[in-house]
Amino acid sequence: MFENHLSMEDIGADKWPNVILWAAPIMFLLVFIEWGISIYQKKDTYDKRDFLAAATIGFVNVGISALLKVFVFGVALFCWNLVPWKIPASAWSFVACFFAIDFARYWAHRVAHEQRFWWATHITHHNSSKYNFSVSFRLGWTQHIKIIFFVPVMLMGFDPFVFFICHQIAVLYQFWIHTEYIKKLPRPIEFFFTTPSHHRVHHASDAHYLDKNYGSTFIIWDRIFGTFMPEAERPTYGITKPVTSYNPIYLNFHEWSDIVSDLKKAKNRKEAYQILFGKPGDEVIKNRELREKAEKEAKETEAVTSSPSAPTPILVSNENSLLKKED
């Protein structure tokens, strides 16, 4: 039954254009232009160490993507060969595939904020207190495991080439929305597309802005699923527990390290599951230790208050009180 199945050589995957690599020189040029403008305007938009960390993370990610290219293509091709239905490459299939990918990106992004395991793959993108074009380079080195969120799109029968190009364009779109220099755009654009204004809210660590605006290219998913919030006051960027390191390795793996540390302290499978898939910031171990401490103190207090006290002397009616003066 596999006689008519295509291989990567058959579809010429090795010759497919890498749109992101082509765009890289333009992106870096825009980074330095934005940096120059911020210096001229005396704004604290960039930090040299923060930029070097972002650039390093980005370059390593390009290498990881290249190494995983065959695997990703293999998954896409496997899904293409698996389903009996096919959607041939056409202008409309590109549009449909892009919407499907963006829908999957919304949920992948949302889950990455709602479950700690997936948050560990994404936190690198948020742990900068700056907000500029270079922040778009800060993509976690472990984020590639999120490919599983896109398998349903692959199973829809889109041509692997269509999926490949649409996926690259969706990733590339993220670059321009990481800036404070583009203010709010005309209302029709702000209503339908994810803009810098929307994404600034998403990168905020302010309590009222948290877990909002997950949309990748289209903000309509947030409007539909109740996670939209417009930008009001300027956000405070970063994560709720700021990191002070600029070490790319630490920035990528500090949350993973904390997860492993918590898992070692887990008392049972339920607690381990909560650590992995509970909401980031739930502090499962810390809260349990605080509860245990409170329960211990409550028991000790109860033991003290319930212990028998010394007998109270009873004054017999025919005895003279020592407190009274004798006549």
Side-chain angles (χ1 to χ4, degrees):
M1 66 177 181
F2 294 99
E3 291 178 1
N4 297 322
H5 284 198
L6 298 175
S7 67
M8 283 186 282
E9 291 76 17
D10 294 331
I11 60 177
D14 57 323
K15 297 183 176 120
W16 291 354
N18 192 324
V19 179
I20 296 173
L21 278 181
W22 288 359
I26 298 172
M27 290 191 289
F28 271 96
L29 176 61
L30 290 172
V31 165
F32 290 119
I33 289 174
E34 184 186 45
W35 198 344
I37 293 172
S38 69
I39 292 172
Y40 177 77
Q41 295 181 344
K42 297 180 180 179
K43 289 186 176 181
D44 189 27
T45 305
Y46 277 83
D47 177 278
K48 184 179 179 181
R49 294 170 298 176
D50 189 78
F51 166 73
L52 290 174
T56 302
I57 291 169
F59 280 128
V60 172
N61 232 324
V62 170
I64 294 173
S65 296
L67 291 173
L68 293 175
K69 182 178 179 181
V70 173
F71 172 73
V72 174
F73 283 172
V75 173
L77 197 56
F78 174 80
C79 292
W80 164 263
N81 286 325
L82 184 66
V83 297
W85 51 84
K86 311 294 180 191
I87 303 177
S90 68
W92 286 112
S93 72
F94 274 95
V95 173
C97 185
F98 193 84
F99 269 89
I101 285 175
D102 200 67
F103 182 74
R105 284 179 67 88
Y106 169 85
W107 285 106
H109 196 179
R110 181 168 175 172
V111 171
H113 279 259
E114 294 180 347
Q115 295 184 359
R116 192 181 179 193
F117 175 85
W118 296 104
W119 173 239
T121 72
H122 185 58
I123 191 173
T124 311
H125 186 61
H126 283 269
N127 54 26
S128 174
S129 60
K130 303 295 181 182
Y131 194 76
N132 52 57
F133 284 143
S134 74
V135 171
S136 64
F137 303 156
R138 300 171 70 110
L139 299 175
W141 296 341
T142 56
Q143 57 141 352
H144 302 278
I145 63 176
K146 289 192 286 187
I147 186 177
I148 65 171
F149 289 97
F150 299 94
V151 170
V153 180
M154 297 176 186
L155 290 172
M156 292 175 72
F158 291 109
D159 186 291
F161 176 75
V162 173
F163 177 87
F164 174 75
I165 296 299
C166 288
H167 179 69
Q168 285 200 93
I169 294 173
V171 172
L172 194 59
Y173 184 92
Q174 301 307 296
F175 174 77
W176 80 280
I177 59 177
H178 289 88
T179 183
E180 291 192 283
Y181 280 96
I182 300 176
K183 304 303 179 185
K184 291 193 176 183
L185 298 172
R187 290 182 67 182
I189 297 175
E190 291 282 336
F191 182 83
F192 198 81
F193 292 93
T194 299
T195 66
S197 175
H198 300 325
H199 208 59
R200 285 193 289 268
V201 168
H202 178 70
H203 272 259
S205 59
D206 309 281
H208 62 292
Y209 277 154
L210 289 178
D211 301 330
K212 301 296 181 183
N213 299 357
Y214 297 114
S216 182
T217 300
F218 305 120
I219 201 67
I220 52 172
W221 312 124
D222 289 284
R223 295 184 185 278
I224 292 170
F225 297 111
T227 52
F228 174 74
M229 177 171 282
E231 181 183 32
E233 70 278 2
R234 183 176 182 266
T236 303
Y237 303 111
I239 54 180
T240 53
K241 290 184 178 180
V243 293
T244 55
S245 174
Y246 295 99
N247 184 325
I249 295 176
Y250 178 82
L251 293 174
N252 272 279
F253 297 107
H254 68 91
E255 184 66 15
W256 288 114
S257 176
D258 291 345
I259 288 175
V260 171
S261 178
D262 283 351
L263 284 173
K264 288 178 179 178
K265 300 174 185 175
K267 282 191 168 183
N268 49 53
R269 290 182 181 179
K270 181 181 178 181
E271 198 166 78
Y273 182 86
Q274 289 174 332
I275 290 167
L276 283 172
F277 299 108
K279 197 165 179 63
D282 276 355
E283 301 282 7
V284 176
I285 299 299
K286 183 179 178 181
N287 288 335
R288 188 249 292 160
E289 290 175 344
L290 288 173
R291 284 196 305 271
E292 290 176 344
K293 183 180 178 181
E295 289 170 3
K296 182 180 177 181
E297 290 175 349
K299 287 180 180 178
E300 289 175 350
T301 302
E302 184 181 351
V304 171
T305 56
S306 62
S307 61
S309 56
T312 303
I314 300 174
L315 184 63
V316 180
S317 58
N318 59 0
E319 288 183 347
N320 290 325
S321 173
L322 297 175
L323 299 176
K324 291 182 180 180
K325 290 184 181 180
E326 293 183 1
D327 296 334

